[in-house]
Amino acid sequence: MLSTSDPDAVYFAKADSLLNLLTLEEKAGQMTNIGLTALTQGEFWTQADTLLLDSAKMSNLLITHGVGSVQNKGKYPPSKEEWYRIVKSIQDFTKANSRHQIPVLFGIDGVHGATYTAGSTIFPHQIALAATWNPEFSRITGEVTAYELRASSIPWNYAPVLDVSMQPLWGRIFETFGEDTYINRVMGAAYIEGAQGKSISDSISVAVCLKHFIGYGTPVSGKDRSPALIPEHYLRQYYLEPFRDAIDKGTLTVMLNSGAVNGVPGHIDKYLITDVLKGELGLKGFVITDWGDIARLVENHFVAKDKREATKLAVLAGADMCMVPYDASFAMDVIDLVQSGEIPMSRIDDAVRRILFVKFKLGLFEKSYHHPANFPEFASDSFANLSRMAAVEGITLLKNENNILPLKDNARTKVFVTGPTANSLTSLNGPWSRTFKGDDPTYDDKGKKTFLQAMQAKYGNGNVLYEQGTDFTGDIIDKTSILSKASNSEVVFICLGEQPTTEKFSDIHSLDLPPNQQELVKLLHTTGKPIVLVLLQGRPRVIREIEPLADAILMAYWPGHEGGEALAQLISGEESPSGKLPYTYPRYTNTLHTYQHKGSDKLDDNFGMNGFNPQWQFGYGLSYTSFGYSNFTLSTDTINTNYSIKGEVTVTNTGKYAGKEVVQLYIRDVVASITPDDRKLVGFEKISLNPGQSAKVSFTVSFNDLKFVGLNNKWIAEEGDFELLIGGNPSDMVKKSFYYKTSK
C-alpha cells in the first residue's frame, strides 16, 4: 500500500472504496475502451458529417456492459461545440443510468495539437519539434494542445510518442523525436510538463499517454507493426530512458507496442509490462493496448488461437485497458476468464484500481466536461504565432551554395514555384491532421497559407509563377510550360516530398524519392536557373542523385499550419534558419546507420569499412551566419566516481546575420568492453547571437554520462580515456580528453 504521505494516497483510497463496490461485470467494463462511432448512428466507419449518438448503443455499451473509456472520432473533425455536445451527452447518460455514476475517460490522438477538433491550432510534428533542439517548443506544444483538448471536453491525450526510432524507413518516424535517446528524454519531459501542468485535474491540463512501450520505432524491415530485434542491454541503453523520465514526471498511462521485440509481441510481454514498466519504472496508472491489438495476437502474431486466449495472455501480462474498439467482446472474455479461474480476480482488481485512480486524479468525478466558451484562447493568433515560431526554428537548411538564400529585393525578385507539395495545406500539416491520414483537403482550414500562397503574399502574385509539375507519383505534367515559366524566373523552388499518411499505409519499399519527382529536378536543372529544394516529408527520402543539382535545400518535415509562412520568412531572410537534423539523413536506401554507429562502421577512405557515409549527419544544419568556437576548457582531466566535470566554451557569431546556434555536447568512450558508440549526445543548448557577439556556454558532465549498459543489463562505467566534443557541426567539433579513474 502507498504511504499516507504520498500525495496520490487520497486518490488510491477513493479508488479502493469504489472498487470494493463493483461487480466483476462492472470491473470488466472499466477495462474496456471503444471507438466513439460504436456509440453513434450508422456503421462504425460512417461517412456522415454529423455524429449522432444512438441511445440503444449507449445503453448497451455504457450501461449493460459498463464500458469505461471512449476514444477518437469519426471521419470528420467536430467543432469544439460539437465535442462538448458529444462528451456531455455521454457523461450525462452514464451518470443518469449507471449504478455508480463512474465517468467515462475520453481519449484522443492529439499528436501535434488538438488536430481532431475543427479550427484548432496545428503544430509541427514531433520530428520537427526535435529539429528545433529547443525544448521550450515541445513544452508549448504540450501546453496549447492540452488547452484546446480541454476546450473540446477531452482530458486524455495519446501523446507524446517516445519511440526512439533508429529506422528511417519506418513511416511513423515523423511522430517521434528522432534517433537519439537524450533528445527524446529532454523533449518528452518538456512536452509532459506543458501538457500536465501543475495538476492534470486543472481545466487546462490533460493526462498524457506515452506511446509505444517499447521498441516499436525500430522494426528490422522498416514496416509498421513489424518485428524488432533489440538485445535487452540495447533496449535499456537507447529505448527505455525516455519512458523512465516521463514516468518520473508524473505520467500515468502508457500505450503498448503493436509489434514484437525479440519474438515476443509487446502486448503479452509480462517482463517488460509488469516487471519493468510497472515495477522498475514505477508506473502508478494503467497500461492500454493499441487499436485492435488483442485481435492481432491471433491474426498477425499467431501466439493465441482465438481472441479469448489473446485476452488472457494480454491481461496476465499486465494490460489494464483494451481498445476493442468496436464492441464489448473484450469485457465478456474477461468475465468468462475470471469465472473459469484462468485470470485471478487480483489481476482484475489491480487493473481497475489503476484506472479508477487516474479518473479520480483527473477530477472527472467532479467535472467531466467543460463548456467551450470558457476557453477564449482557442485557435487564437497567439497560439498560431507559437506554431509559426516552432516551425521557423525546426526547418533545417541543408545546403546553401553561393548564399542563394536568403533572397533579396523582394519587390523585384521573380520566382517559379512547382512540385507536388507546393500548393497543398495537407503537405504542411501531415497525418493526424483533421483526418487520420491527413491527406483530405476537404477539411483544410480557411485562411491558412500553403507554401505557394505564402510566397505570393511575401513577393507579390505577379512575381510568383506556379505550375504543379507533377504529383507525388506519376508523369510530369506539361514540360513545355514548366520550362517556360522557370526560364522567366530568377530562382526555381521545387517542393518535393511524400503524401501524408501513417501506420501501415506509410509502408514503402524504398527510401528513394519517387522517380518522377527526381526527374522534375533534372528537367528544371537544364534551364540553368538556381534551384531551391523544399522537402515536405515525414522521413528522410534519399535524394543522392539530385542533391548536386540543387543550390539550396530546406528540410521542412511536416511543419504544421504556419509552415508556409515560416518557410517564406526564412527564404526572405526575415527569419534565419537554426534547425538541426534529429536523425541521420541517409545517402543510400540500403545504408542506414545512425550517428551512434559502432566502430566497425566508421568511414575509412583506404579500402576499409565504409558503412557510415550519410548524406547529412545527425545534428547537421546550416545558418545564414557562421559561428566560431574557442576557449574550450575543462575543470579537470581526471575524474572518479564521485566527481563531475565542469566545462566552458566561447561561441562567437562570426558572420553578418543574427542567428541561433545549437551548441551540441557529445561524449566518446575511447575503449570499452562492448564496442562503444562513435559518440553520445549528453547535452545541448540553443543560443542567440548578433554579428560579432560572443557568449560563454557552460556545462557539466556527470559520472552517469560515462555509463553504458553491459551484457548483464546493468549500467556501468569503465576506467579509461574519454573525449568530449562540442560544436554546432558534427563534422567540425572541438575536442578535449579526460581520464576516468575508478579508484578515489
Side-chain angles (χ1 to χ4, degrees), residues 418-422 424 426-428 470-473 494-501 508 511-518 520-521 533-543 546 554-558 585:
T418 187
T421 64
S424 166
T426 61
S427 292
L428 295 174
T470 188
D471 208 333
F472 292 100
T473 58
I494 311 178
C495 300
L496 307 175
E498 54 187 7
Q499 188 169 20
T501 193
I508 57 176
L511 265 180
D512 288 328
L513 194 69
N516 65 309
Q517 296 190 47
Q518 299 202 48
L520 179 64
V521 178
L533 299 185
V534 178
L535 306 178
L536 289 157
Q537 54 197 23
R539 57 196 143 196
R541 301 300 292 265
V542 172
I543 56 172
I546 59 174
L554 285 162
M555 179 64 180
Y557 313 94
W558 276 322
Y585 200 116

Side-chain angles (χ1 to χ4, degrees), residues 564 623 719:
S623 172
E719 183 168 328

Side-chain angles (χ1 to χ4, degrees), residues 426-441:
T426 61
S427 292
L428 295 174
N429 292 333
W432 307 100
S433 302
R434 306 302 183 235
T435 62
F436 168 62
K437 291 184 182 180
D439 61 349
D440 190 344

Side-chain angles (χ1 to χ4, degrees), residues 36 81 230 274 283 293 329 396 415 443 549 609 611 669 676 722:
L36 172 60
E81 290 77 16
I230 309 172
T274 298
L283 178 71
D293 277 336
S329 57
T396 308
V415 301
Y443 306 104
L549 310 183
M609 299 292 186
D669 194 344
F722 288 81

Side-chain angles (χ1 to χ4, degrees), residues 235 341 463:
L235 203 67
N463 291 328

